[in-house]
Amino acid sequence: AIQMTQSPSSLSASVGDRVTITCRASQDIRNDLGWYQQKPGKAPQLLIYAASSLQSGVPSRFSGSGSGTDFTLTISSLQPEDFATYYCLQDYNYPLTFGQGTKVEIK
Amino acid sequence: QVQLQESGPGLVKPSETLSLTCTVSGYSIISGYYWGWIRQPPGKGLEWIGSLSHSGTTYYNPSLNSRITISVDTSKNQFSLKLTSVTAADTAVYYCARADALTAGKIDYWGQGTLVTVSS
């Protein structure tokens, strides 16, 4: 199975900050990667698919980039509602595998 | 509006079978998309369990492969998960979800999740 490694595991940031989360795949996965946001007690929500395509209804401050093995989720200006845990998910092949998550906390 | 709702026992004894059903409303399962299950142990990350295509093809996580069955009941617009020989390690919130047929990781609708505890 393809291993997905996210970094950092957690970060502290302030409202208005630019935040970057990285996901690295154990092999080339082209652009077959999605990003999800999960708030406590809630189901994850899709933010980005195919590495850089913004899901309908998701604010434009979220963006994704990368291909091959290295990917990035960027939040251009962190908002109060963005404090959550973020996961990457590869769908290059089965089994689908998630990164371990990055918790974004308030500084 | 597409909605998914998990149902099933919240407590299962060790060595028994965990059975969950996902009822889909607002969309016909046979019309397309993939339908699957993801779980999350308390305080931990997400794990993909398996998926079922609208045509009935199944994809399972090899780490669980010998214990999983995902099936569909088109007459009720439901799909189900059975996980046999459960242990405490199977305690988790179980989510059912819908994924794009061409982009399997594009999971656009999720159920609210249901906590299943494995304990005697």
Side-chain angles (χ1 to χ4, degrees):
Chain A
I2 296 173
Q3 294 203 349
M4 306 302 295
T5 304
Q6 281 182 240
S7 60
S9 296
S10 64
L11 64 89
S12 296
S14 301
V15 172
D17 284 353
R18 182 181 182 89
V19 169
T20 299
I21 298 168
T22 297
C23 189
R24 175 165 288 177
S26 60
Q27 67 179 71
D28 187 340
I29 60 169
R30 302 181 308 191
N31 70 333
D32 295 333
L33 184 107
W35 289 98
Y36 291 82
Q37 176 193 70
Q38 187 180 33
K39 297 180 180 179
K42 299 293 186 182
Q45 287 194 308
L46 176 66
L47 301 174
I48 302 285
Y49 63 94
S52 59
S53 296
L54 190 68
Q55 172 68 356
S56 176
V58 174
S60 59
R61 63 180 180 273
F62 291 94
S63 64
S65 64
S67 66
T69 60
D70 294 310
F71 301 86
T72 299
L73 173 69
T74 299
I75 309 171
S76 60
S77 179
L78 198 66
Q79 297 302 299
E81 60 268 31
D82 300 337
F83 291 95
T85 300
Y86 294 84
Y87 293 92
C88 61
L89 169 66
Q90 71 80 20
D91 63 329
Y92 176 76
N93 64 16
Y94 289 106
L96 307 187
T97 45
F98 289 92
Q100 80 278 17
T102 296
K103 187 173 184 179
V104 177
E105 298 175 301
I106 302 173
K107 182 182 285 185
Chain B
Q1 174 73 354
V2 180
Q3 292 185 314
L4 292 85
Q5 178 68 59
E6 305 90 352
S7 59
L11 181 64
V12 181
K13 289 182 169 55
S15 81
E16 295 190 344
T17 296
L18 179 160
S19 296
L20 295 174
T21 296
C22 183
T23 301
V24 180
S25 59
Y27 191 85
S28 173
I29 286 180
I30 61 173
S31 295
Y33 288 92
Y34 281 25
W35 306 89
W37 295 90
I38 295 110
R39 69 180 183 179
Q40 185 171 37
K44 296 188 177 181
L46 300 163
E47 179 182 30
W48 177 81
I49 298 172
S51 297
L52 173 76
S53 76
H54 64 280
S55 61
T57 303
T58 52
Y59 304 87
Y60 296 149
N61 192 324
S63 69
L64 303 167
N65 194 34
S66 61
R67 299 195 291 134
I68 307 171
T69 302
I70 298 176
S71 59
V72 64
D73 185 338
T74 56
S75 67
K76 296 181 180 178
N77 215 37
Q78 296 175 334
F79 62 102
S80 299
L81 169 70
K82 290 190 187 301
L83 181 65
T84 62
S85 305
V86 296
T87 69
D90 295 309
T91 293
V93 174
Y94 285 76
Y95 296 100
C96 62
R98 186 185 87 165
D100 187 270
L102 295 178
T103 306
K106 185 183 176 185
I107 305 171
D108 58 356
Y109 286 96
W110 298 67
Q112 64 183 25
T114 187
L115 174 63
V116 179
T117 302
V118 178
S119 175
S120 55

